[in-house]
Amino acid sequence: MGKNRTYSKEFRDYVTKLVVLDGRKIVDTCQELNIPYDTLQKWVASYRKKQKEEEHIRQSQLLTASEYKDLFEEERRKKLELEEEVAILKKAMHIFTLEKK
Protein backbone atom coordinates (compact mmCIF):
# COMPACT_ATOMS: atom_id res chain seq x y z
CA MET A 1 0.00 0.00 0.00
CA GLY A 2 1.17 3.50 -0.77
CA LYS A 3 1.39 6.32 1.68
CA ASN A 4 -1.27 9.00 1.62
CA ARG A 5 0.66 12.22 1.93
CA THR A 6 -0.90 15.61 2.15
CA TYR A 7 0.74 18.67 0.65
CA SER A 8 0.16 22.28 1.57
CA LYS A 9 -1.54 24.52 -0.96
CA GLU A 10 1.61 26.67 -1.18
CA PHE A 11 3.71 23.62 -2.02
CA ARG A 12 1.22 22.39 -4.64
CA ASP A 13 1.12 25.85 -6.24
CA TYR A 14 4.92 26.11 -6.24
CA VAL A 15 5.46 22.68 -7.81
CA THR A 16 2.71 23.23 -10.37
CA LYS A 17 4.25 26.53 -11.44
CA LEU A 18 7.62 24.80 -11.84
CA VAL A 19 6.02 22.58 -14.46
CA VAL A 20 3.63 25.03 -16.13
CA LEU A 21 5.53 28.30 -16.03
CA ASP A 22 9.16 27.14 -15.92
CA GLY A 23 8.63 24.31 -18.40
CA ARG A 24 10.05 21.53 -16.24
CA LYS A 25 9.06 17.96 -17.04
CA ILE A 26 6.53 16.31 -14.78
CA VAL A 27 8.59 13.12 -14.63
CA ASP A 28 11.75 14.92 -13.53
CA THR A 29 9.92 17.05 -10.98
CA CYS A 30 8.20 13.98 -9.51
CA GLN A 31 11.51 12.19 -9.09
CA GLU A 32 13.27 15.21 -7.57
CA LEU A 33 10.52 15.96 -5.05
CA ASN A 34 9.28 12.39 -4.47
CA ILE A 35 5.73 13.15 -5.58
CA PRO A 36 3.56 10.54 -7.33
CA TYR A 37 3.30 11.19 -11.07
CA ASP A 38 -0.51 10.98 -11.10
CA THR A 39 -0.74 13.49 -8.26
CA LEU A 40 1.37 16.12 -9.99
CA GLN A 41 -0.42 15.48 -13.27
CA LYS A 42 -3.75 16.25 -11.56
CA TRP A 43 -2.33 19.42 -10.03
CA VAL A 44 -1.08 20.61 -13.41
CA ALA A 45 -4.37 19.79 -15.15
CA SER A 46 -6.30 21.66 -12.46
CA TYR A 47 -4.00 24.68 -12.72
CA ARG A 48 -4.31 24.82 -16.51
CA LYS A 49 -8.10 24.51 -16.31
CA LYS A 50 -8.18 27.37 -13.81
CA GLN A 51 -5.99 29.50 -16.12
CA LYS A 52 -8.33 28.86 -19.06
CA GLU A 53 -11.37 29.82 -16.99
CA GLU A 54 -9.68 33.05 -15.84
CA GLU A 55 -8.73 33.88 -19.43
CA HIS A 56 -12.32 33.26 -20.54
CA ILE A 57 -13.58 35.61 -17.83
CA ARG A 58 -11.09 38.31 -18.89
CA GLN A 59 -12.12 37.94 -22.53
CA SER A 60 -15.80 38.18 -21.68
CA GLN A 61 -15.16 41.44 -19.83
CA LEU A 62 -13.62 43.11 -22.89
CA LEU A 63 -15.85 45.46 -24.84
CA THR A 64 -16.76 44.89 -28.45
CA ALA A 65 -16.32 47.77 -30.90
CA SER A 66 -20.03 48.60 -30.85
CA GLU A 67 -20.16 48.48 -27.03
CA TYR A 68 -17.14 50.76 -26.88
CA LYS A 69 -18.74 53.17 -29.38
CA ASP A 70 -21.98 53.25 -27.35
CA LEU A 71 -20.05 53.90 -24.15
CA PHE A 72 -18.03 56.65 -25.84
CA GLU A 73 -21.17 58.31 -27.21
CA GLU A 74 -22.86 58.15 -23.79
CA GLU A 75 -19.84 59.75 -22.10
CA ARG A 76 -19.68 62.41 -24.83
CA ARG A 77 -23.39 63.20 -24.37
CA LYS A 78 -22.97 63.51 -20.59
CA LYS A 79 -19.97 65.79 -21.06
CA LEU A 80 -21.90 68.07 -23.41
CA GLU A 81 -24.82 68.25 -20.95
CA LEU A 82 -22.44 69.19 -18.14
CA GLU A 83 -20.75 71.84 -20.27
CA GLU A 84 -24.16 73.29 -21.11
CA GLU A 85 -25.13 73.36 -17.42
CA VAL A 86 -21.86 75.10 -16.53
CA ALA A 87 -22.43 77.71 -19.24
CA ILE A 88 -25.95 78.39 -17.93
CA LEU A 89 -24.68 78.70 -14.36
CA LYS A 90 -21.95 81.10 -15.45
CA LYS A 91 -24.51 83.31 -17.21
CA ALA A 92 -26.81 83.22 -14.19
CA MET A 93 -23.93 84.07 -11.88
CA HIS A 94 -22.98 86.99 -14.13
CA ILE A 95 -26.58 88.28 -14.12
CA PHE A 96 -26.88 88.05 -10.33
CA THR A 97 -23.54 89.80 -9.78
CA LEU A 98 -24.62 92.70 -12.05
CA GLU A 99 -27.88 93.19 -10.16
CA LYS A 100 -26.09 93.61 -6.81
CA LYS A 101 -23.97 96.52 -8.05
Side-chain angles (χ1 to χ4, degrees), residues 71-87:
L71 182 64
F72 177 79
E73 290 297 326
E74 178 67 20
E75 291 294 322
R76 186 171 166 261
R77 186 185 57 74
K78 286 180 183 179
K79 183 180 176 188
L80 290 174
E81 287 176 4
L82 287 173
E83 288 174 352
E84 185 179 334
E85 288 177 17
V86 168

PDB file of all heavy atoms in Angstrom, residues 71-87:
ATOM      1  N   LEU A  71     -20.567  53.326 -25.395  1.00  0.00           N
ATOM      2  CA  LEU A  71     -20.051  53.901 -24.153  1.00  0.00           C
ATOM      3  C   LEU A  71     -19.433  55.271 -24.406  1.00  0.00           C
ATOM      4  O   LEU A  71     -19.660  56.222 -23.655  1.00  0.00           O
ATOM      5  CB  LEU A  71     -19.019  52.955 -23.528  1.00  0.00           C
ATOM      6  CG  LEU A  71     -18.425  53.375 -22.200  1.00  0.00           C
ATOM      7  CD1 LEU A  71     -19.504  53.427 -21.126  1.00  0.00           C
ATOM      8  CD2 LEU A  71     -17.335  52.396 -21.789  1.00  0.00           C
ATOM      9  N   PHE A  72     -18.663  55.383 -25.487  1.00  0.00           N
ATOM     10  CA  PHE A  72     -18.033  56.651 -25.842  1.00  0.00           C
ATOM     11  C   PHE A  72     -19.083  57.719 -26.122  1.00  0.00           C
ATOM     12  O   PHE A  72     -18.974  58.857 -25.643  1.00  0.00           O
ATOM     13  CB  PHE A  72     -17.131  56.457 -27.075  1.00  0.00           C
ATOM     14  CG  PHE A  72     -16.501  57.725 -27.556  1.00  0.00           C
ATOM     15  CD1 PHE A  72     -15.398  58.250 -26.907  1.00  0.00           C
ATOM     16  CD2 PHE A  72     -17.009  58.393 -28.664  1.00  0.00           C
ATOM     17  CE1 PHE A  72     -14.808  59.433 -27.346  1.00  0.00           C
ATOM     18  CE2 PHE A  72     -16.428  59.574 -29.109  1.00  0.00           C
ATOM     19  CZ  PHE A  72     -15.331  60.093 -28.449  1.00  0.00           C
ATOM     20  N   GLU A  73     -20.114  57.355 -26.877  1.00  0.00           N
ATOM     21  CA  GLU A  73     -21.171  58.311 -27.208  1.00  0.00           C
ATOM     22  C   GLU A  73     -21.922  58.752 -25.952  1.00  0.00           C
ATOM     23  O   GLU A  73     -22.276  59.919 -25.810  1.00  0.00           O
ATOM     24  CB  GLU A  73     -22.146  57.707 -28.234  1.00  0.00           C
ATOM     25  CG  GLU A  73     -21.559  57.540 -29.616  1.00  0.00           C
ATOM     26  CD  GLU A  73     -21.161  58.864 -30.251  1.00  0.00           C
ATOM     27  OE1 GLU A  73     -21.838  59.890 -30.023  1.00  0.00           O
ATOM     28  OE2 GLU A  73     -20.144  58.873 -30.979  1.00  0.00           O
ATOM     29  N   GLU A  74     -22.178  57.825 -25.042  1.00  0.00           N
ATOM     30  CA  GLU A  74     -22.862  58.151 -23.789  1.00  0.00           C
ATOM     31  C   GLU A  74     -22.019  59.126 -22.965  1.00  0.00           C
ATOM     32  O   GLU A  74     -22.534  60.122 -22.431  1.00  0.00           O
ATOM     33  CB  GLU A  74     -23.137  56.870 -22.989  1.00  0.00           C
ATOM     34  CG  GLU A  74     -23.806  57.085 -21.663  1.00  0.00           C
ATOM     35  CD  GLU A  74     -25.233  57.613 -21.765  1.00  0.00           C
ATOM     36  OE1 GLU A  74     -25.861  57.464 -22.832  1.00  0.00           O
ATOM     37  OE2 GLU A  74     -25.711  58.175 -20.767  1.00  0.00           O
ATOM     38  N   GLU A  75     -20.735  58.854 -22.851  1.00  0.00           N
ATOM     39  CA  GLU A  75     -19.837  59.748 -22.102  1.00  0.00           C
ATOM     40  C   GLU A  75     -19.771  61.121 -22.765  1.00  0.00           C
ATOM     41  O   GLU A  75     -19.760  62.156 -22.092  1.00  0.00           O
ATOM     42  CB  GLU A  75     -18.432  59.145 -22.005  1.00  0.00           C
ATOM     43  CG  GLU A  75     -18.344  57.925 -21.122  1.00  0.00           C
ATOM     44  CD  GLU A  75     -18.626  58.227 -19.660  1.00  0.00           C
ATOM     45  OE1 GLU A  75     -18.198  59.296 -19.182  1.00  0.00           O
ATOM     46  OE2 GLU A  75     -19.281  57.401 -19.006  1.00  0.00           O
ATOM     47  N   ARG A  76     -19.735  61.137 -24.087  1.00  0.00           N
ATOM     48  CA  ARG A  76     -19.684  62.407 -24.830  1.00  0.00           C
ATOM     49  C   ARG A  76     -20.952  63.221 -24.592  1.00  0.00           C
ATOM     50  O   ARG A  76     -20.918  64.423 -24.353  1.00  0.00           O
ATOM     51  CB  ARG A  76     -19.519  62.115 -26.325  1.00  0.00           C
ATOM     52  CG  ARG A  76     -19.319  63.329 -27.172  1.00  0.00           C
ATOM     53  CD  ARG A  76     -18.956  62.903 -28.601  1.00  0.00           C
ATOM     54  NE  ARG A  76     -19.096  64.023 -29.469  1.00  0.00           N
ATOM     55  CZ  ARG A  76     -20.162  64.250 -30.246  1.00  0.00           C
ATOM     56  NH1 ARG A  76     -21.153  63.409 -30.272  1.00  0.00           N
ATOM     57  NH2 ARG A  76     -20.211  65.324 -31.009  1.00  0.00           N
ATOM     58  N   ARG A  77     -22.115  62.539 -24.603  1.00  0.00           N
ATOM     59  CA  ARG A  77     -23.386  63.202 -24.372  1.00  0.00           C
ATOM     60  C   ARG A  77     -23.444  63.790 -22.959  1.00  0.00           C
ATOM     61  O   ARG A  77     -23.859  64.937 -22.769  1.00  0.00           O
ATOM     62  CB  ARG A  77     -24.541  62.205 -24.574  1.00  0.00           C
ATOM     63  CG  ARG A  77     -25.923  62.828 -24.508  1.00  0.00           C
ATOM     64  CD  ARG A  77     -27.019  61.791 -24.590  1.00  0.00           C
ATOM     65  NE  ARG A  77     -26.953  60.763 -23.564  1.00  0.00           N
ATOM     66  CZ  ARG A  77     -27.283  60.953 -22.279  1.00  0.00           C
ATOM     67  NH1 ARG A  77     -27.693  62.122 -21.864  1.00  0.00           N
ATOM     68  NH2 ARG A  77     -27.198  59.959 -21.413  1.00  0.00           N
ATOM     69  N   LYS A  78     -22.980  63.021 -21.975  1.00  0.00           N
ATOM     70  CA  LYS A  78     -22.969  63.512 -20.593  1.00  0.00           C
ATOM     71  C   LYS A  78     -22.053  64.726 -20.452  1.00  0.00           C
ATOM     72  O   LYS A  78     -22.384  65.687 -19.756  1.00  0.00           O
ATOM     73  CB  LYS A  78     -22.505  62.407 -19.636  1.00  0.00           C
ATOM     74  CG  LYS A  78     -23.528  61.333 -19.400  1.00  0.00           C
ATOM     75  CD  LYS A  78     -22.986  60.280 -18.455  1.00  0.00           C
ATOM     76  CE  LYS A  78     -23.966  59.144 -18.244  1.00  0.00           C
ATOM     77  NZ  LYS A  78     -23.399  58.113 -17.346  1.00  0.00           N
ATOM     78  N   LYS A  79     -20.921  64.674 -21.127  1.00  0.00           N
ATOM     79  CA  LYS A  79     -19.974  65.791 -21.061  1.00  0.00           C
ATOM     80  C   LYS A  79     -20.593  67.049 -21.662  1.00  0.00           C
ATOM     81  O   LYS A  79     -20.467  68.150 -21.095  1.00  0.00           O
ATOM     82  CB  LYS A  79     -18.686  65.440 -21.798  1.00  0.00           C
ATOM     83  CG  LYS A  79     -17.626  66.507 -21.723  1.00  0.00           C
ATOM     84  CD  LYS A  79     -16.382  66.104 -22.478  1.00  0.00           C
ATOM     85  CE  LYS A  79     -15.384  67.239 -22.469  1.00  0.00           C
ATOM     86  NZ  LYS A  79     -14.245  66.982 -23.328  1.00  0.00           N
ATOM     87  N   LEU A  80     -21.263  66.917 -22.787  1.00  0.00           N
ATOM     88  CA  LEU A  80     -21.904  68.075 -23.414  1.00  0.00           C
ATOM     89  C   LEU A  80     -22.995  68.652 -22.518  1.00  0.00           C
ATOM     90  O   LEU A  80     -23.136  69.880 -22.412  1.00  0.00           O
ATOM     91  CB  LEU A  80     -22.483  67.692 -24.777  1.00  0.00           C
ATOM     92  CG  LEU A  80     -21.454  67.403 -25.874  1.00  0.00           C
ATOM     93  CD1 LEU A  80     -22.153  66.886 -27.134  1.00  0.00           C
ATOM     94  CD2 LEU A  80     -20.638  68.643 -26.188  1.00  0.00           C
ATOM     95  N   GLU A  81     -23.771  67.778 -21.870  1.00  0.00           N
ATOM     96  CA  GLU A  81     -24.816  68.251 -20.949  1.00  0.00           C
ATOM     97  C   GLU A  81     -24.201  69.026 -19.787  1.00  0.00           C
ATOM     98  O   GLU A  81     -24.707  70.080 -19.392  1.00  0.00           O
ATOM     99  CB  GLU A  81     -25.628  67.072 -20.417  1.00  0.00           C
ATOM    100  CG  GLU A  81     -26.569  66.469 -21.431  1.00  0.00           C
ATOM    101  CD  GLU A  81     -27.279  65.232 -20.895  1.00  0.00           C
ATOM    102  OE1 GLU A  81     -27.090  64.876 -19.707  1.00  0.00           O
ATOM    103  OE2 GLU A  81     -28.028  64.609 -21.665  1.00  0.00           O
ATOM    104  N   LEU A  82     -23.108  68.493 -19.247  1.00  0.00           N
ATOM    105  CA  LEU A  82     -22.441  69.186 -18.137  1.00  0.00           C
ATOM    106  C   LEU A  82     -21.872  70.536 -18.573  1.00  0.00           C
ATOM    107  O   LEU A  82     -21.968  71.532 -17.839  1.00  0.00           O
ATOM    108  CB  LEU A  82     -21.330  68.312 -17.544  1.00  0.00           C
ATOM    109  CG  LEU A  82     -21.798  67.122 -16.712  1.00  0.00           C
ATOM    110  CD1 LEU A  82     -20.603  66.252 -16.334  1.00  0.00           C
ATOM    111  CD2 LEU A  82     -22.518  67.590 -15.463  1.00  0.00           C
ATOM    112  N   GLU A  83     -21.287  70.572 -19.758  1.00  0.00           N
ATOM    113  CA  GLU A  83     -20.749  71.837 -20.265  1.00  0.00           C
ATOM    114  C   GLU A  83     -21.867  72.865 -20.454  1.00  0.00           C
ATOM    115  O   GLU A  83     -21.692  74.051 -20.164  1.00  0.00           O
ATOM    116  CB  GLU A  83     -19.995  71.607 -21.580  1.00  0.00           C
ATOM    117  CG  GLU A  83     -18.666  70.900 -21.396  1.00  0.00           C
ATOM    118  CD  GLU A  83     -17.994  70.550 -22.712  1.00  0.00           C
ATOM    119  OE1 GLU A  83     -18.615  70.711 -23.792  1.00  0.00           O
ATOM    120  OE2 GLU A  83     -16.846  70.099 -22.654  1.00  0.00           O
ATOM    121  N   GLU A  84     -23.017  72.404 -20.929  1.00  0.00           N
ATOM    122  CA  GLU A  84     -24.158  73.291 -21.109  1.00  0.00           C
ATOM    123  C   GLU A  84     -24.647  73.825 -19.756  1.00  0.00           C
ATOM    124  O   GLU A  84     -24.931  75.019 -19.617  1.00  0.00           O
ATOM    125  CB  GLU A  84     -25.285  72.538 -21.821  1.00  0.00           C
ATOM    126  CG  GLU A  84     -26.481  73.399 -22.156  1.00  0.00           C
ATOM    127  CD  GLU A  84     -27.562  72.614 -22.886  1.00  0.00           C
ATOM    128  OE1 GLU A  84     -27.230  71.608 -23.555  1.00  0.00           O
ATOM    129  OE2 GLU A  84     -28.730  73.011 -22.775  1.00  0.00           O
ATOM    130  N   GLU A  85     -24.709  72.940 -18.756  1.00  0.00           N
ATOM    131  CA  GLU A  85     -25.127  73.364 -17.422  1.00  0.00           C
ATOM    132  C   GLU A  85     -24.156  74.391 -16.837  1.00  0.00           C
ATOM    133  O   GLU A  85     -24.580  75.375 -16.224  1.00  0.00           O
ATOM    134  CB  GLU A  85     -25.229  72.152 -16.490  1.00  0.00           C
ATOM    135  CG  GLU A  85     -26.415  71.258 -16.786  1.00  0.00           C
ATOM    136  CD  GLU A  85     -26.449  70.030 -15.884  1.00  0.00           C
ATOM    137  OE1 GLU A  85     -25.764  70.015 -14.845  1.00  0.00           O
ATOM    138  OE2 GLU A  85     -27.169  69.078 -16.239  1.00  0.00           O
ATOM    139  N   VAL A  86     -22.870  74.166 -17.033  1.00  0.00           N
ATOM    140  CA  VAL A  86     -21.863  75.098 -16.526  1.00  0.00           C
ATOM    141  C   VAL A  86     -22.016  76.458 -17.207  1.00  0.00           C
ATOM    142  O   VAL A  86     -21.941  77.512 -16.546  1.00  0.00           O
ATOM    143  CB  VAL A  86     -20.441  74.529 -16.722  1.00  0.00           C
ATOM    144  CG1 VAL A  86     -19.380  75.585 -16.487  1.00  0.00           C
ATOM    145  CG2 VAL A  86     -20.210  73.337 -15.800  1.00  0.00           C
ATOM    146  N   ALA A  87     -22.257  76.454 -18.514  1.00  0.00           N
ATOM    147  CA  ALA A  87     -22.431  77.710 -19.238  1.00  0.00           C
ATOM    148  C   ALA A  87     -23.657  78.470 -18.716  1.00  0.00           C
ATOM    149  O   ALA A  87     -23.599  79.699 -18.524  1.00  0.00           O
ATOM    150  CB  ALA A  87     -22.567  77.440 -20.732  1.00  0.00           C
TER     151      ALA A  87
END
